[in-house]
């Protein structure tokens, strides 16, 4: 089993730098916000955080490729860092503290690049989560002050807590009926949104979550953290990993049943 501890430590250094940048502009009255061609917002903090991370990667890992939400792909090779400088920009620009920087290292493997390191840092919540392939998933203040993550053991859908982001994506997908059937079957639903449901699945505080429209940078770090915590992370098509353009995460016990609901079209 490869040892990814050096890469994980470096990912924490990157997250520390990004946290300082994003927190420095959080709730700033003069924060500049633009609208991208896909009609989603991007703030100056998104751009600054990604530029900072890219700069450090180019100096410390010059042979590695970089894929980021704001500036695309740079470089080639068997190792690729995937960055979402602020996951939850709409929250960020409105002063809602549920947003995070997502950093993942992916390596070439059979079936495409797969995440081997992931860090999710949510400084406004005072939380950070991380994982490395084969070494488990953790949360805490630092590598030396952390607790291991474990998914829940809930095995009945009627006892499950289900998290999602919004209804419109399911409606656009033609799967709103199945989605609503699932919400009626579970014990509890909450729309926490963005990175947070995946971290709560890894912690065992909720049991299932899903989103219908995502990019690789939204999922790579989340995927390795969920799986290293003992959970299951796939696309809605059941394909393992973060490559399907959508995502479903669970404690493993409820995964197939969840997918059955979410793939009903009516």
């Amino acid at each position: 089993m490869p040892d990814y501890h050096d890469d994980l430590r470096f990912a924490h250094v990157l997250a520390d730098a990004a946290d300082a940048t994003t927190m420095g502009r959080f709730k700033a009255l003069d924060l500049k916000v633009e609208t991208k061609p896909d009609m989603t917002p991007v703030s100056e903090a998104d751009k600054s955080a990604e530029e900072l991370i890219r700069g450090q990667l180019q100096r410390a890992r010059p042979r590695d490729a970089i894929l980021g939400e704001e500036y695309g792909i740079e470089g080639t090779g068997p190792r690729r860092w995937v960055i979402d400088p602020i996951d939850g920009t709409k929250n960020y620009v409105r002063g809602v503290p549920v947003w995070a920087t997502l950093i993942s290292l992916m390596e070439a493997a059979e079936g495409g690049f797969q995440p081997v390191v992931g860090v999710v840092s949510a400084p406004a919540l005072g939380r950070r989560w991380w994982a490395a392939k084969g070494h488990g998933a953790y949360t805490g203040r630092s590598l030396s002050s952390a607790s291991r993550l474990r998914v829940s053991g809930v095995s009945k859908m009627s006892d499950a807590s289900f998290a999602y982001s919004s209804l419109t994506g399911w409606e656009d997908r033609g799967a709103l009926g199945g989605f609503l059937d699932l919400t009626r079957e579970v014990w509890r639903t909450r729309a926490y949104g963005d990175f947070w449901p995946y971290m709560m699945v890894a912690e065992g505080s909720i049991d299932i979550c899903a989103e219908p429209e995502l990019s690789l940078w939204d999922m790579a770090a989340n995927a390795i953290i969920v799986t290293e915590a003992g959970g299951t992370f796939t696309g809605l098509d059941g394909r393992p990993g973060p490559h399907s353009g959508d995502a479903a995460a669970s404690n493993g016990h409820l995964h197939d049943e969840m997918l059955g609901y979410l793939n009903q079209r009516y």
Side-chain angles (χ1 to χ4, degrees):
M1 179 69 67
D3 184 348
Y4 294 105
H5 285 112
D6 285 346
D7 292 312
L8 181 59
R9 280 192 289 268
F10 184 53
H12 276 271
V13 170
L14 297 174
D16 289 342
D19 287 355
T21 297
T22 54
M23 285 300 291
R25 298 299 291 155
F26 185 48
K27 297 187 178 180
L29 297 179
D30 62 344
L31 181 72
K32 295 178 182 178
V33 182
E34 303 170 1
T35 300
K36 295 191 286 189
D38 64 0
M39 302 308 293
T40 60
V42 58
S43 75
E44 62 181 86
D46 292 80
K47 294 180 177 180
S48 295
E50 184 167 326
E51 288 167 355
L52 180 66
I53 293 170
R54 282 178 177 269
Q56 293 200 24
L57 283 168
Q58 287 161 354
R59 289 189 293 273
R61 299 288 194 276
R63 295 182 180 180
D64 294 350
I66 307 169
L67 171 65
E69 179 176 11
E70 307 308 333
Y71 296 106
I73 183 74
E74 179 180 358
T76 59
R79 288 165 46 101
R80 178 182 298 171
W81 293 86
V82 180
I83 307 157
D84 190 342
I86 299 179
D87 183 53
T89 299
K90 291 178 181 178
N91 282 345
Y92 184 88
V93 302
R94 290 296 301 270
V96 178
V98 183
W99 50 271
T101 295
L102 278 55
I103 301 168
S104 178
L105 172 63
M106 304 185 75
E107 287 191 343
E110 186 176 349
F113 282 84
Q114 297 300 327
V116 295
V117 167
V119 173
V120 173
S121 189
L125 294 175
R127 298 294 309 276
R128 185 177 290 186
W129 303 261
W130 62 88
K133 184 179 180 180
H135 297 284
Y138 296 84
T139 185
R141 295 290 183 179
S142 67
L143 283 167
S144 60
S145 177
S147 56
R148 189 155 188 173
L149 299 176
R150 302 283 188 189
V151 296
S152 76
V154 172
S155 59
K156 294 174 59 178
M157 196 63 80
S158 58
D159 295 330
S161 182
F162 170 46
Y164 61 96
S165 288
S166 69
L167 298 179
T168 54
W170 300 105
E171 188 171 30
D172 293 343
R173 187 182 173 87
L176 184 59
F179 171 87
L180 293 175
D181 284 347
L182 177 59
T183 67
R184 297 181 186 108
E185 180 65 22
V186 298
W187 168 66
R188 190 175 194 236
T189 62
R190 284 293 183 273
Y192 300 106
D194 301 307
F195 69 94
W196 207 6
Y198 303 97
M199 299 303 98
M200 287 191 279
V201 167
E203 291 177 338
S205 53
I206 69 171
D207 312 296
I208 55 175
C209 69
E211 290 182 272
E213 296 174 314
L214 293 168
S215 298
L216 181 60
W217 47 76
D218 298 312
M219 298 183 282
N222 295 336
I224 184 70
I225 293 171
V226 168
T227 54
E228 284 295 321
T232 300
F233 189 105
T234 73
L236 295 173
D237 56 5
R239 179 186 176 190
H243 293 288
S244 297
D246 43 48
S250 76
N251 62 8
H253 301 293
L254 302 167
H255 205 83
D256 290 344
E257 188 175 358
M258 171 177 59
L259 292 180
Y261 280 103
L262 297 177
N263 282 301
Q264 294 179 35
R265 304 298 179 98
Y266 65 91

